[in-house]
Amino acid sequence: MERLSTLCYIEQDGKYLMLHRTVKENDVNKDKWIGVGGHFEYGESPEECLLREVKEETGYTLTSWKYRGIVTFVYGEDTVEYMSLYTADGFTGEPVECDEGELEWVDKKDIPALELWEGDKIFFRLLDMGREFFSLKLVYDRQDVLQYAALDGVPMELFDEIREDGSRTGVVKERGVVHEDGTLHATVHIWIVRPNDKSGYDLFLQKRSECKDSNPGCWDISSAGHIEAGHGYLESALRELREELGINARPEQLREIGTRRCGFESEFYGRPFRDNELSMLYIYQEPVNIEELTLQESEVSEAAWMDYAECCRKVADHSFQNCIYEDELDMVGKALGITI
């Protein structure tokens, strides 16, 4: 079943007019908060549908609106809806009761706390970023769990929300949303080491690409990355080594040394960034020649070896630009039997 619809977010004084869909029992949006809008009638243009639906549901006549994007909503195996997404900042008229649910003006900063479709959080972020126009595809299963998302035809990264013990909550979120709201998620950190005659070991460090969404241009762990929704720690660690550095490691070559809870809050590119991770740490001790590596340009700009003790000192005294955690270095040092 394919359908056409409009979805509009009317804004005023830093708030959006939100509709809490509570009336219809068989409504796919039951109990969720969405904008106002509805399905096209025969022969209607998107704007005609927009104006009619807003008038019917709110009592308002729009006087100023903007077409912001196309949302392809796929639900289960038999529902595809193409939604024309609008924002509006001008209207006249008096509000009326809505037969679809309750209308409420909600401060934009409070909207993420509402019961929303996870994909809606993606387009709220895009709207907030001022994207002029976008095409967003969202695929859900029948339990309303986000299965796939693509922006302008490019797949987006999806992560499992996890609990403190590492178990999955069943909620799947897009990467940008995760780092906006600080959702706990899983990552892998792989430390490549080699013996030396100083502290006992060198650490392989990578310099993060200048285009990274956090800590661009900083020296960091040998290889690290997020665990994609539905995947596990070890397979993700092997994937990161292969993609970032061109190292085709085998599972038995990675030594697991424990998990670590970490995170920070900062601002990058003028937007807040909240990192909240449960990381599995691994050590890789096979021979590595930097000159023979294939560095992933979008992730890694440089690579270098540094003595473990020297790295600890430099991280402690902030003498080089890095995003390495001191307690994680301690975990690596203990696993290697280093005493300094």
Side-chain angles (χ1 to χ4, degrees):
M1 176 174 57
E2 294 186 355
R3 300 183 294 191
L4 300 174
S5 65
T6 55
L7 182 63
C8 182
Y9 289 90
I10 305 172
E11 50 188 319
Q12 179 179 253
D13 301 326
K15 299 178 180 181
Y16 278 134
L17 183 61
M18 301 293 292
L19 173 58
H20 192 196
R21 299 282 288 253
T22 58
V23 176
K24 297 178 180 178
E25 286 301 323
N26 295 322
D27 184 3
V28 70
N29 293 299
K30 183 73 166 64
D31 295 327
K32 290 186 171 61
W33 293 77
I34 64 171
V36 294
H39 297 109
F40 285 34
E41 292 185 352
Y42 180 76
E44 280 189 320
S45 69
E47 289 73 24
E48 288 170 332
C49 178
L50 166 73
L51 295 171
R52 176 183 54 77
E53 285 287 345
V54 169
K55 179 69 173 178
E56 290 175 358
E57 292 189 348
T58 70
Y60 297 135
T61 298
L62 295 183
T63 59
S64 175
W65 64 88
K66 187 174 183 180
Y67 201 171
R68 304 300 297 272
I70 292 287
V71 179
T72 303
F73 174 86
V74 182
Y75 187 71
E77 298 179 353
D78 59 359
T79 300
V80 179
E81 188 164 330
Y82 300 98
M83 298 185 292
S84 293
L85 179 65
Y86 291 86
T87 54
D89 58 5
F91 57 91
T92 60
E94 296 298 321
V96 298
E97 287 191 15
C98 180
D99 60 5
E100 302 283 351
E102 296 78 43
L103 290 166
E104 182 177 334
W105 290 99
V106 181
D107 196 296
K108 291 181 180 180
K109 66 178 176 57
D110 296 328
I111 287 176
L114 300 177
E115 182 68 25
L116 305 172
W117 291 96
E118 280 300 325
D120 289 13
K121 297 177 184 179
I122 302 176
F123 65 65
F124 275 124
R125 182 168 61 84
L126 296 172
L127 293 175
D128 188 50
M129 291 170 62
R131 286 287 296 262
E132 285 297 315
F133 192 85
F134 54 85
S135 174
L136 181 64
K137 181 177 182 179
L138 304 169
V139 180
Y140 296 88
D141 66 15
R142 286 290 179 179
Q143 285 70 51
D144 298 354
V145 177
L146 187 61
Q147 302 289 296
Y148 176 83
L151 177 61
D152 297 332
V154 180
M156 307 180 82
E157 293 184 74
L158 302 181
F159 306 149
D160 289 304
E161 178 185 71
I162 63 172
R163 303 182 181 89
E164 294 289 340
D165 63 1
S167 61
R168 296 167 179 155
T169 67
V171 176
V172 173
K173 298 190 174 191
E174 182 267 332
R175 176 184 180 130
V177 172
V178 163
H179 287 145
E180 190 167 70
D181 63 18
T183 297
L184 183 61
H185 59 288
T187 62
V188 288
H189 293 180
I190 307 101
W191 289 90
I192 300 172
V193 303
R194 69 179 183 186
N196 72 13
D197 56 4
K198 296 179 181 178
S199 66
Y201 286 93
D202 286 324
L203 301 177
F204 178 101
L205 304 181
Q206 66 158 266
K207 190 174 185 181
R208 295 167 66 85
S209 169
E210 292 292 344
C211 64
K212 290 289 290 181
D213 60 357
S214 66
N215 297 307
C218 288
W219 288 96
D220 199 1
I221 302 160
S222 312
S223 181
H226 297 90
I227 296 179
E228 297 176 357
H231 292 263
Y233 286 107
L234 183 56
E235 61 176 313
S236 300
L238 295 170
R239 186 199 71 237
E240 290 296 336
L241 281 173
R242 183 175 61 255
E243 292 180 351
E244 291 188 349
L245 306 176
I247 296 175
N248 291 302
R250 299 189 304 275
E252 65 271 18
Q253 292 175 325
L254 291 180
R255 176 157 67 101
E256 182 183 307
I257 64 171
T259 58
R260 178 181 171 277
R261 187 77 151 69
C262 60
F264 67 92
E265 293 191 17
S266 188
E267 184 177 294
F268 298 101
Y269 309 106
R271 295 187 61 80
F273 188 96
R274 300 178 179 89
D275 195 35
N276 189 14
E277 303 180 6
L278 183 65
S279 302
M280 178 68 75
L281 275 59
Y282 295 92
I283 287 178
Y284 180 78
Q285 294 181 259
E286 299 299 315
V288 170
N289 185 339
I290 289 179
E291 287 69 32
E292 296 176 356
L293 297 178
T294 302
L295 304 183
Q296 186 178 14
E297 187 176 344
S298 62
E299 299 285 337
V300 186
S301 61
E302 294 181 47
W305 292 102
M306 184 180 291
D307 175 65
Y308 173 83
E310 180 185 1
C311 184
C312 289
R313 286 195 301 272
K314 287 188 172 183
V315 169
D317 63 21
H318 310 288
S319 60
F320 80 127
Q321 189 176 6
N322 74 92
C323 52
I324 300 170
Y325 295 96
E326 290 184 70
D327 59 336
E328 185 160 333
L329 283 174
D330 290 341
M331 287 182 66
V332 173
K334 289 176 182 177
L336 294 171
I338 301 174
T339 56
I340 57 174

Short mmCIF file of all heavy atoms in Angstrom, two decimals, residues 203-223:
data_model
loop_
_atom_site.label_atom_id
_atom_site.label_comp_id
_atom_site.label_asym_id
_atom_site.label_seq_id
_atom_site.Cartn_x
_atom_site.Cartn_y
_atom_site.Cartn_z
N LEU A 203 53.01 2.32 21.73
CA LEU A 203 51.61 2.34 21.35
C LEU A 203 51.48 2.92 19.95
O LEU A 203 52.12 3.91 19.62
CB LEU A 203 50.79 3.21 22.32
CG LEU A 203 50.80 2.82 23.79
CD1 LEU A 203 49.99 3.83 24.60
CD2 LEU A 203 50.24 1.42 23.99
N PHE A 204 50.64 2.32 19.15
CA PHE A 204 50.33 2.84 17.82
C PHE A 204 49.19 3.85 17.98
O PHE A 204 48.13 3.51 18.50
CB PHE A 204 49.90 1.69 16.91
CG PHE A 204 49.51 2.10 15.51
CD1 PHE A 204 50.39 1.94 14.45
CD2 PHE A 204 48.25 2.63 15.25
CE1 PHE A 204 50.02 2.30 13.15
CE2 PHE A 204 47.88 3.00 13.97
CZ PHE A 204 48.75 2.83 12.92
N LEU A 205 49.42 5.10 17.58
CA LEU A 205 48.40 6.13 17.69
C LEU A 205 47.96 6.60 16.30
O LEU A 205 48.78 6.67 15.38
CB LEU A 205 48.92 7.33 18.48
CG LEU A 205 49.46 7.06 19.88
CD1 LEU A 205 49.92 8.37 20.52
CD2 LEU A 205 48.42 6.38 20.75
N GLN A 206 46.70 6.91 16.18
CA GLN A 206 46.20 7.50 14.94
C GLN A 206 45.78 8.93 15.21
O GLN A 206 45.33 9.28 16.30
CB GLN A 206 45.01 6.72 14.36
CG GLN A 206 43.75 6.75 15.21
CD GLN A 206 42.49 6.44 14.40
OE1 GLN A 206 41.82 7.36 13.93
NE2 GLN A 206 42.16 5.16 14.28
N LYS A 207 45.95 9.78 14.18
CA LYS A 207 45.47 11.15 14.26
C LYS A 207 44.14 11.24 13.52
O LYS A 207 44.06 10.88 12.35
CB LYS A 207 46.48 12.12 13.65
CG LYS A 207 46.16 13.58 13.93
CD LYS A 207 47.28 14.49 13.42
CE LYS A 207 47.02 15.94 13.80
NZ LYS A 207 48.09 16.83 13.29
N ARG A 208 43.14 11.71 14.22
CA ARG A 208 41.80 11.75 13.65
C ARG A 208 41.72 12.76 12.50
O ARG A 208 42.32 13.83 12.56
CB ARG A 208 40.78 12.12 14.73
CG ARG A 208 40.67 11.07 15.82
CD ARG A 208 39.91 11.57 17.02
NE ARG A 208 38.51 11.84 16.76
CZ ARG A 208 37.55 10.94 16.81
NH1 ARG A 208 37.85 9.67 17.12
NH2 ARG A 208 36.29 11.27 16.58
N SER A 209 40.96 12.40 11.49
CA SER A 209 40.79 13.28 10.34
C SER A 209 40.16 14.60 10.76
O SER A 209 39.41 14.68 11.73
CB SER A 209 39.90 12.58 9.31
OG SER A 209 39.51 13.47 8.30
N GLU A 210 40.46 15.66 10.01
CA GLU A 210 39.91 16.98 10.30
C GLU A 210 38.41 17.05 10.03
O GLU A 210 37.76 18.01 10.44
CB GLU A 210 40.62 18.04 9.47
CG GLU A 210 42.08 18.26 9.85
CD GLU A 210 42.25 18.89 11.22
OE1 GLU A 210 41.25 19.44 11.75
OE2 GLU A 210 43.36 18.85 11.77
N CYS A 211 37.86 16.06 9.34
CA CYS A 211 36.42 16.08 9.04
C CYS A 211 35.60 15.27 10.03
O CYS A 211 34.38 15.13 9.85
CB CYS A 211 36.17 15.60 7.61
SG CYS A 211 36.62 13.88 7.31
N LYS A 212 36.22 14.72 11.07
CA LYS A 212 35.48 13.93 12.05
C LYS A 212 34.46 14.80 12.79
O LYS A 212 34.67 15.99 13.00
CB LYS A 212 36.44 13.30 13.06
CG LYS A 212 37.32 12.20 12.47
CD LYS A 212 36.51 10.95 12.18
CE LYS A 212 36.07 10.26 13.45
NZ LYS A 212 35.29 9.02 13.16
N ASP A 213 33.35 14.18 13.23
CA ASP A 213 32.30 14.94 13.89
C ASP A 213 32.65 15.29 15.33
O ASP A 213 31.97 16.11 15.95
CB ASP A 213 30.96 14.20 13.83
CG ASP A 213 31.00 12.83 14.50
OD1 ASP A 213 32.06 12.41 14.96
OD2 ASP A 213 29.93 12.17 14.53
N SER A 214 33.69 14.69 15.88
CA SER A 214 34.16 15.05 17.22
C SER A 214 35.68 14.93 17.27
O SER A 214 36.28 14.09 16.60
CB SER A 214 33.53 14.13 18.28
OG SER A 214 33.98 12.80 18.12
N ASN A 215 36.30 15.80 18.06
CA ASN A 215 37.75 15.80 18.26
C ASN A 215 38.55 15.72 16.96
O ASN A 215 39.48 14.92 16.83
CB ASN A 215 38.16 14.64 19.18
CG ASN A 215 37.56 14.76 20.56
OD1 ASN A 215 37.70 15.79 21.22
ND2 ASN A 215 36.87 13.73 21.01
N PRO A 216 38.21 16.54 15.96
CA PRO A 216 38.99 16.50 14.72
C PRO A 216 40.44 16.90 14.95
O PRO A 216 40.73 17.78 15.75
CB PRO A 216 38.27 17.51 13.82
CG PRO A 216 37.61 18.47 14.78
CD PRO A 216 37.21 17.62 15.95
N GLY A 217 41.36 16.22 14.26
CA GLY A 217 42.77 16.56 14.36
C GLY A 217 43.46 16.14 15.64
O GLY A 217 44.62 16.51 15.87
N CYS A 218 42.80 15.33 16.47
CA CYS A 218 43.39 14.89 17.74
C CYS A 218 44.02 13.49 17.59
O CYS A 218 43.51 12.65 16.87
CB CYS A 218 42.33 14.84 18.84
SG CYS A 218 41.77 16.45 19.40
N TRP A 219 45.11 13.27 18.33
CA TRP A 219 45.69 11.93 18.40
C TRP A 219 44.81 11.06 19.28
O TRP A 219 44.28 11.52 20.30
CB TRP A 219 47.11 11.98 18.93
CG TRP A 219 48.08 12.56 17.93
CD1 TRP A 219 48.52 13.84 17.84
CD2 TRP A 219 48.71 11.85 16.85
NE1 TRP A 219 49.37 14.00 16.78
CE2 TRP A 219 49.51 12.78 16.15
CE3 TRP A 219 48.66 10.53 16.39
CZ2 TRP A 219 50.26 12.44 15.03
CZ3 TRP A 219 49.42 10.18 15.28
CH2 TRP A 219 50.20 11.13 14.62
N ASP A 220 44.69 9.79 18.88
CA ASP A 220 43.69 8.93 19.52
C ASP A 220 44.18 7.48 19.56
O ASP A 220 45.29 7.16 19.13
CB ASP A 220 42.38 9.04 18.72
CG ASP A 220 41.15 8.60 19.51
OD1 ASP A 220 41.29 8.22 20.68
OD2 ASP A 220 40.06 8.63 18.93
N ILE A 221 43.31 6.61 20.05
CA ILE A 221 43.53 5.16 20.11
C ILE A 221 43.92 4.64 18.74
O ILE A 221 43.58 5.22 17.71
CB ILE A 221 42.22 4.50 20.58
CG1 ILE A 221 41.81 5.06 21.95
CG2 ILE A 221 42.34 2.99 20.64
CD1 ILE A 221 40.36 4.85 22.26
N SER A 222 44.60 3.50 18.69
CA SER A 222 45.04 2.91 17.42
C SER A 222 43.88 2.79 16.44
O SER A 222 43.99 3.18 15.27
CB SER A 222 45.64 1.52 17.65
OG SER A 222 46.56 1.51 18.70
N SER A 223 42.77 2.24 16.89
CA SER A 223 41.58 2.09 16.05
C SER A 223 40.37 1.97 16.97
O SER A 223 40.45 1.32 18.02
CB SER A 223 41.70 0.84 15.16
OG SER A 223 40.57 0.70 14.34
#
